[in-house]
Amino acid sequence: MQELQAHGVRIPEDMAVVGFDDSQMAKLTRPPLTTILSTATGLAETAVEMLTALLRGDPVDPVVLPTELIRRGSA
C-alpha cells in the first residue's frame, strides 16, 4: 500500500486492497487493511484428510473452507 500511495494511488478511492489471514499488522497500516480471515486449524485438518485420501488412492473432491471478511479502511 505504501508503494501505491507513493505513486499517487488513493486507497480505497482509486484501488481497493485486501489481505489474507488478518495479521496484527493489518490493523496498523494506513488505511487499516481489509482482510479475509481463515482458520489455520481448518486448513491443516482438511489438508491432512485430503492427503490421507490421496495416499489411499481415494478420489478427493474440491473443498471450500469457511472464511470471514474483516472490513477495514482499505476496501
Side-chain angles (χ1 to χ4, degrees):
M1 290 194 315
Q2 287 178 331
E3 194 66 25
L4 289 170
Q5 291 168 334
H7 286 85
V9 177
R10 298 172 302 153
I11 301 169
E13 294 85 355
D14 299 327
M15 182 177 292
V17 179
V18 178
F20 187 79
D21 266 354
D22 197 31
S23 71
Q24 290 298 322
M25 288 298 292
K27 299 172 190 167
L28 302 176
T29 62
R30 292 291 167 247
L33 182 64
T34 295
T35 62
I36 297 172
L37 178 61
S38 174
T39 62
T41 303
L43 289 170
E45 287 175 5
T46 301
V48 169
E49 289 171 5
M50 292 174 80
L51 179 58
T52 302
L54 287 171
L55 291 171
R56 284 192 311 257
D58 297 340
V60 176
D61 294 324
V63 175
V64 177
L65 297 173
T67 58
E68 178 184 352
L69 179 64
I70 309 293
R71 287 192 174 270
R72 296 196 181 98
S74 69

